[in-house]
Amino acid sequence: MGFKNPVLLLHPLGGYTKADDVPLDWRMRQHEKVLEDGVLDPETTVVSIFPSPMHYAGPTEVQWHAKARINAGANFYIVGRDPAGMGHPLEKRDLYDPDHGKKVLSMAPGLERLNILPFKVAAYDKTQSKMAFFDPSRAQDFLFISGTKMRTLAKNRENPPDGFMCPGGWKVLVEYYENLSPTESDKVPEPVPA
């Protein structure tokens, strides 16, 4: 698009999150490893904490996150699948469909100058031994590893498939769970402010 020096803003949430989420200081260590391992270019990546709590407020929260990034100087915004998702209060299903966030952002007032980049579904490609964009024509070649599955592997000190995550980043996650006392790893920790 003609940009001479594009910069990636890696802007992790720094406020309250769910009690079972990995705390900010450990997530920041993971980001350091992602940069050290060359997954992202440290010369063109700015890491800055987004000092907002996660409200799990669905479409309203998706708009807040995007508008806050405009204020940080962003021209482009990658919206993930099921951002700020909410479970249905009575049924065992999500309240919104997985692509609801990008639909809301495409219609939200005040976001006209922000280029919304939809997130492509990524999964572990068993034939390439790495993460790749999901190809439905080769569905049998892909393995979806959820956040819950990933945390379970780390808690049990099991390794994910080679190429799933940079080794340094995985080591940090495993160390986080190792540092929880046995009683803490079996229960949901209390939320801690960043």
Side-chain angles (χ1 to χ4, degrees), residues 97-110:
D97 69 68
D99 295 321
H100 199 88
K102 73 179 178 187
K103 291 175 188 170
V104 167
L105 292 181
S106 70
M107 301 180 285

Side-chain angles (χ1 to χ4, degrees), residues 38-53:
V39 176
L40 297 175
D41 182 359
E43 296 297 316
T44 59
T45 303
V46 173
V47 181
S48 174
I49 297 169
F50 177 40
S52 175

Side-chain angles (χ1 to χ4, degrees), residues 30-109:
Q30 276 192 304
H31 296 322
E32 287 175 23
K33 294 299 181 186
V34 165
L35 292 167
E36 284 176 18
D37 288 357
V39 176
L40 297 175
D41 182 359
E43 296 297 316
T44 59
T45 303
V46 173
V47 181
S48 174
I49 297 169
F50 177 40
S52 175
M54 178 62 98
H55 297 286
Y56 304 94
T60 302
E61 183 139 12
V62 171
Q63 291 178 65
W64 156 240
H65 284 231
K67 288 178 182 181
R69 274 37 181 251
I70 289 174
N71 292 338
N75 295 308
F76 296 85
Y77 182 71
I78 300 170
V79 60
R81 294 185 78 244
D82 190 28
M86 299 169 58
H88 191 280
L90 303 174
E91 302 170 15
K92 279 195 142 308
R93 64 176 179 86
D94 290 332
L95 195 55
Y96 301 103
D97 69 68
D99 295 321
H100 199 88
K102 73 179 178 187
K103 291 175 188 170
V104 167
L105 292 181
S106 70
M107 301 180 285

Side-chain angles (χ1 to χ4, degrees), residues 26 29 154 168 170-180:
W26 287 92
R29 291 179 205 175
W170 183 255
K171 185 177 178 193
V172 169
L173 188 60
V174 170
E175 287 173 5
Y176 164 68
Y177 287 108
E178 285 176 347
N179 282 307
L180 293 177

Side-chain angles (χ1 to χ4, degrees), residues 102-186:
K102 73 179 178 187
K103 291 175 188 170
V104 167
L105 292 181
S106 70
M107 301 180 285
L111 294 176
E112 295 81 13
R113 68 177 198 233
L114 188 64
N115 293 292
I116 307 300
L117 303 175
F119 178 80
K120 292 183 180 178
V121 176
Y124 183 76
D125 186 336
K126 297 182 285 189
T127 65
Q128 301 293 316
S129 297
K130 67 179 186 178
M131 294 298 291
F133 294 123
F134 178 67
D135 179 354
S137 71
R138 301 187 303 114
Q140 72 283 355
D141 294 337
F142 288 88
L143 178 63
F144 287 90
I145 300 174
S146 67
T148 300
K149 173 69 173 173
M150 181 181 65
R151 289 187 294 275
T152 300
L153 289 171
K155 285 177 191 176
N156 294 333
R157 296 179 182 94
E158 297 175 35
N159 288 322
D162 287 340
F164 171 72
M165 182 185 289
C166 68
W170 183 255
K171 185 177 178 193
V172 169
L173 188 60
V174 170
E175 287 173 5
Y176 164 68
Y177 287 108
E178 285 176 347
N179 282 307
L180 293 177
S181 69
T183 56
E184 286 178 319
S185 63
D186 294 335

